[in-house]
Amino acid sequence: MQLASTPHENRDKDFDEFDAKILKWREQRTAEKLRGEYESAVLHLSEVIQENLSAPFRISSVKVEGATTTRRSFLGSLINPVLSSSSDLPSNLDSVLHTSRKISHLLQKTDVFHSIETLIEHPRDASLSTSDVDIVFKVREKGRFFLSTSTELGNNEGNAAATGRIRNVFGGAEVFEANVSFGTKTRRSFRAAFTAPLTSSLGTYGEVTAFGLERDNSSFASCTEGLRGVKATIRNGILPCGVNEIAYEAVLRHIGSLTPSASIGIREAAGQTLKSALSHSFIIDSRNDRLMPTKGHYIKVFNEFAGLGGDASFYKSELEGQISRPVIDGISLALAARTGILYGINKPTLFSDRFQLGGPLSVRAFRANSMGPKDGSDSLGGDLHWSVGASIISNLPVKPHWPLKTHVWLNAGRLDAIDQSRPLLDSFRSTFTNPSVSVGVGMIYRFEPVRVEVNFGVPLITSKSDGSRRGLQVGMGLEFL
């Protein structure tokens, strides 16, 4: 049984709806009024500044307040060069604003401060001229200590990791970071790095790293590999314009835990070797997205020379490039290429230094690290490789904003050993004229911080030693071909 609403109840309901509309209207009017007043104040301030840019002003001092754990000498090394360079500028408001912006940018670049507020004040010293001003930066420092635990997926493996970080260790924007992880393929690893700025412009950094890991290679080479080493690096630049990195590395490698079925080639590689090497890398990255770019390009050049003592003696060079371009709305084309050469100097190349090729992150529709020279079922790695890939990536028609995309791809590549008894040109000709080729379709899912692919691939051309894989293949990682 239903009771009909009385006229009194209907009238109260109408009044409540009317009051709600009035309240909403008043809130909108108040917001519009405040926005208008703010815009007027900003416009007025801008006009005042523009009219007084040439007014005579001179910086008498620069102060940083709130930097309790940052060294005064470090702040001085940042600020003094800026003040020296601005001494050639006219002494007016324009130069004061320009200098304050440069100093503020440097303070932000240190990654030490959580917030920075810039004030231009009259000096407290009454003996100074009325045209003298103080620039005061009121800062709040970030927390110095950070600790986190996480589970991660990438490079077709999963691991659990713990990371600790100390920021501004000695008060000069230094960072100490240590990481320990345990995983499915990389059974355990550790890395400790100390990073510090080397120049007052904060454009060049130095880093000293100690690292180690134990990797299970039994899926392709019937052994495990252990690394223990140190590395010193000098890094300069920013990614869109180019980052140069010069490094020295000393690393002790151990091939062990051979399975009963290990081949003669792997048994000969077993044992301990030492690598002492200098390297240089150059990277440019203008992609709009690292995982699923739709425009931009990526270039990496890497050169390494080993032979400064130790067992390894070689020259190694690698080149990698990627370009992405939108074709039509929702569809983009991605092209990628990689190549590399490892040339032994008076010694044979070692297993730990050779290239491996194949798998969902390189040449799809082949098993991971299954291409190139073999001894039985073991992949021995190669000295010369190349691979190329082309993908047409599309949004889902009804859900273009989803992090799920489709793609059609074509991959080709080859990995060979270099026979130094023959001309090097013959090795190049053989490697680059006999590719293995695969095609397929699949889905791409953006699963921060990695990219996940599920592909159905078909090998079209294979070499006798290649481990082809027809059908479904899953890949997880950061860099795909």
Side-chain angles (χ1 to χ4, degrees):
M1 182 177 179
Q2 295 182 348
L3 297 176
S5 300
T6 65
H8 179 72
E9 290 175 344
N10 289 334
R11 189 165 55 251
D12 289 344
K13 184 178 180 181
D14 291 340
F15 279 136
D16 290 341
E17 291 178 355
F18 180 75
D19 289 343
K21 290 179 181 179
I22 291 295
L23 181 60
K24 184 177 180 180
W25 176 78
R26 286 177 176 173
E27 289 175 349
Q28 290 176 345
R29 287 292 302 272
T30 302
E32 290 173 358
K33 182 180 179 181
L34 291 174
R35 185 166 58 248
E37 291 176 352
Y38 173 76
E39 291 174 352
S40 298
V42 170
L43 181 61
H44 177 68
L45 179 60
S46 176
E47 290 175 350
V48 170
I49 292 174
Q50 289 294 328
E51 292 173 357
N52 292 274
L53 285 178
S54 58
F57 282 98
R58 187 175 64 87
I59 299 172
S60 64
S61 68
V62 176
K63 302 175 184 177
V64 180
E65 298 178 355
T68 56
T69 62
T70 306
R71 298 194 316 268
R72 289 176 59 89
S73 59
F74 173 68
L75 294 173
S77 70
L78 299 180
I79 295 170
N80 290 335
V82 178
L83 295 178
S84 299
S85 64
S86 65
S87 62
D88 298 331
L89 298 175
S91 297
N92 54 31
L93 179 61
D94 189 24
S95 66
V96 170
L97 295 175
H98 179 74
T99 301
S100 65
R101 280 195 298 268
K102 288 188 68 174
I103 296 174
S104 177
H105 174 71
L106 277 175
L107 295 177
Q108 290 173 343
K109 200 174 177 181
T110 63
D111 196 35
V112 170
F113 305 110
H114 185 274
S115 62
I116 301 172
E117 181 183 0
T118 306
L119 301 176
I120 298 176
E121 301 178 344
H122 288 295
R124 297 174 183 175
D125 189 348
S127 63
L128 295 175
S129 169
T130 55
S131 62
D132 289 333
V133 294
D134 291 342
I135 301 179
V136 181
F137 295 95
K138 295 183 180 292
V139 301
R140 184 161 63 92
E141 294 179 328
K142 293 182 178 180
R144 296 186 66 197
F145 302 99
F146 171 83
L147 181 65
S148 71
T149 58
S150 63
T151 54
E152 300 172 353
L153 297 173
N155 296 328
N156 269 16
E157 68 171 312
N159 59 58
T163 301
R165 184 184 306 122
I166 304 175
R167 182 185 282 110
N168 209 18
V169 180
F170 301 116
E174 307 91 354
V175 176
F176 176 78
E177 182 172 294
N179 175 275
V180 179
S181 68
F182 301 89
T184 53
K185 292 183 180 179
T186 304
R187 292 176 177 173
R188 48 185 166 267
S189 68
F190 74 88
R191 180 181 182 273
F194 178 80
T195 307
L198 301 181
T199 60
S200 60
S201 64
L202 303 181
T204 303
Y205 280 78
E207 182 176 272
V208 179
T209 307
F211 61 90
L213 62 84
E214 183 177 329
R215 183 188 299 119
D216 183 4
N217 294 337
S218 60
S219 62
F220 67 92
S222 301
C223 66
T224 63
E225 183 178 13
L227 304 177
R228 299 290 186 276
V230 293
K231 185 176 183 179
T233 306
I234 297 176
R235 187 180 302 110
N236 173 269
I238 55 176
L239 277 179
C241 304
V243 173
N244 280 286
E245 186 176 288
I246 299 174
Y248 169 77
E249 182 181 54
V251 56
L252 192 66
R253 293 91 60 88
H254 182 263
I255 303 296
S257 301
L258 273 59
T259 65
S261 61
S263 64
I264 297 298
I266 293 298
R267 293 182 185 276
E268 290 176 346
Q272 190 168 275
T273 60
L274 174 66
K275 182 181 79 169
S276 174
L278 284 171
S279 65
H280 171 263
S281 66
F282 177 71
I283 300 175
I284 294 177
D285 191 354
S286 66
R287 296 173 295 180
N288 62 341
D289 188 287
R290 185 181 178 187
L291 296 179
M292 292 194 292
T294 57
K295 63 180 180 179
H297 62 270
Y298 171 82
I299 299 171
K300 179 180 179 181
V301 182
F302 175 79
N303 291 283
E304 182 180 24
F305 170 74
L308 309 173
D311 305 294
S313 181
F314 61 81
Y315 170 71
K316 190 178 201 177
S317 183
E318 298 178 65
L319 176 64
E320 181 179 349
Q322 184 186 97
I323 185 169
S324 300
R325 290 289 183 269
V327 179
I328 58 175
D329 187 31
I331 298 179
S332 62
L333 172 66
L335 303 174
R338 300 170 183 167
T339 186
I341 182 172
L342 173 68
Y343 196 81
I345 302 174
N346 301 323
K347 292 182 181 179
T349 58
L350 302 175
F351 175 81
S352 298
D353 301 312
R354 295 180 194 139
F355 300 109
Q356 298 286 350
L357 190 66
L361 275 66
S362 58
V363 183
R364 300 174 180 89
F366 291 86
R367 293 195 302 273
N369 301 331
S370 68
M371 301 177 70
K374 290 265 199 333
D375 187 351
S377 60
D378 291 331
S379 296
L380 301 181
D383 307 319
L384 181 63
H385 81 93
W386 67 273
S387 56
V388 295
S391 299
I392 298 176
I393 303 172
S394 172
N395 296 332
L396 294 180
V398 294
K399 298 289 184 181
H401 60 283
W402 276 19
L404 184 65
K405 314 292 180 185
T406 62
H407 74 145
V408 180
W409 49 265
L410 168 69
N411 288 170
R414 187 175 175 87
L415 173 67
D416 282 324
I418 293 178
D419 184 355
Q420 295 196 12
S421 65
R422 299 169 52 204
L424 186 59
L425 187 60
D426 289 350
S427 297
F428 275 91
R429 186 181 297 112
S430 174
T431 301
F432 283 88
T433 57
N434 297 283
S436 297
V437 182
S438 61
V439 297
V441 297
M443 307 290 289
I444 305 172
Y445 180 64
R446 183 191 188 92
F447 186 66
E448 291 286 1
V450 297
R451 166 172 161 172
V452 180
E453 287 189 6
V454 179
N455 296 310
F456 182 87
V458 178
L460 299 181
I461 303 173
T462 65
S463 298
K464 184 178 180 180
S465 62
D466 291 342
S468 60
R469 180 189 176 99
R470 180 191 179 98
L472 288 176
Q473 190 176 41
V474 179
M476 295 180 292
L478 298 174
E479 299 290 343
F480 285 77
L481 185 65

